[in-house]
Amino acid sequence: MKTETKEKSVKSVLIVNQKGGVGKTLIADELCFSLERDKIPYNFYDLDNQGSAIHETKEDPDAVIQIVDTPGALQPEMLKWIDEADFIIVPTMLSFSDKKPLERMIKILEPYKAKKPTLFVFNAWTRFIISKDFINWFNNVYPDLKTAIVAETTAFKQAGACGVSINEFQASNIGCKQIEYIYSSVKYELNLKDERTA
């Protein structure tokens, strides 16, 4: 899946968790929207057969980055996808039933820890005790892992229903800043340049 040319190798962002319904496709779509705003050519691969992504699989001959959305299940190809990735995003919900799948993902990624930047995203965060307890547990057990938060807000669902980014739908929503943080992490780690002024 990783594309290489004589001039460049396309950087790959893998969005992965063996558990479904944790927000992988939401993040994939929002990253694609962010790349479009910055006029950065990209490929998008939707490996999840549910077809819930706003964006369709696409290959751009000028792509410098690719976003890979994966199914919410253990796949034989998962290690290959991880091997090929340059940046890994692991979204998770914040409930007791999400702990074991998340810990399995952390164990799978352990051999890659020093080689690949990885961001764990706490999706559907709220100010209630359950979210705080989950994050406290994670930070205590895995203090060296990088994290981000995406708030629970209906604006994401409403934007998705309209086929637009949360930024376009409601630029004042806190979710915009949180997506921007994730996107900025990708840009920084992969040394992506904003093409809007080029």
Side-chain angles (χ1 to χ4, degrees):
M1 187 183 324
K2 199 163 192 180
T3 309
E4 294 191 16
T5 67
K6 287 182 181 177
E7 293 96 18
K8 66 178 189 285
S9 173
V10 176
K11 300 293 185 182
S12 182
V13 178
L14 181 71
I15 305 171
V16 63
N17 189 331
Q18 62 179 267
K19 190 172 187 294
V22 295
K24 293 187 295 293
T25 301
L26 166 70
I27 292 169
D29 273 322
E30 289 294 344
L31 287 177
C32 289
F33 283 126
S34 297
L35 291 164
E36 289 163 3
R37 278 194 298 276
D38 282 354
K39 299 191 183 323
I40 296 174
Y42 70 93
N43 297 333
F44 175 60
Y45 297 101
D46 184 2
L47 306 183
D48 189 347
N49 293 327
Q50 291 186 43
S52 56
I54 296 168
H55 292 83
E56 294 183 3
T57 292
K58 70 169 247 180
E59 292 190 357
D60 186 325
D62 297 318
V64 295
I65 183 171
Q66 60 189 27
I67 307 298
V68 183
D69 185 19
T70 61
L74 279 173
Q75 302 284 327
E77 302 92 341
M78 185 179 285
L79 290 180
K80 179 175 180 267
W81 299 337
I82 293 169
D83 277 332
E84 292 181 349
D86 297 291
F87 188 97
I88 299 167
I89 297 175
V90 183
T92 183
M93 300 299 272
L94 297 94
S95 73
F96 179 77
S97 63
D98 289 278
K99 281 186 179 180
K100 285 187 179 178
L102 179 59
E103 288 183 308
R104 284 194 292 267
M105 283 305 309
I106 292 169
K107 190 172 182 181
I108 288 169
L109 292 170
E110 182 66 28
Y112 304 90
K113 191 174 175 182
K115 305 173 193 172
K116 299 176 188 286
T118 303
L119 182 65
F120 293 84
V121 178
F122 301 125
N123 191 25
W125 175 87
T126 68
R127 289 177 289 207
F128 299 115
I129 298 272
I130 189 167
S131 289
K132 291 178 182 177
D133 285 351
F134 190 99
I135 292 173
N136 286 338
W137 161 78
F138 187 93
N139 289 336
N140 285 333
V141 178
Y142 305 105
D144 56 335
L145 299 183
K146 188 175 178 182
T147 62
I149 289 172
V150 173
E152 182 176 52
T153 170
T154 57
F156 279 116
K157 291 181 181 176
Q158 292 168 328
C162 295
V164 298
S165 71
I166 190 172
N167 189 282
E168 184 179 345
F169 182 79
Q170 191 177 73
S172 61
N173 192 283
I174 189 157
C176 296
K177 289 183 179 177
Q178 293 164 342
I179 292 296
E180 181 58 32
Y181 175 78
I182 296 169
Y183 177 55
S184 295
S185 298
V186 170
K187 285 177 74 176
Y188 173 77
E189 294 290 353
L190 301 185
N191 196 28
L192 287 183
K193 304 299 183 191
D194 188 330
E195 300 294 325
R196 283 178 292 186
T197 56

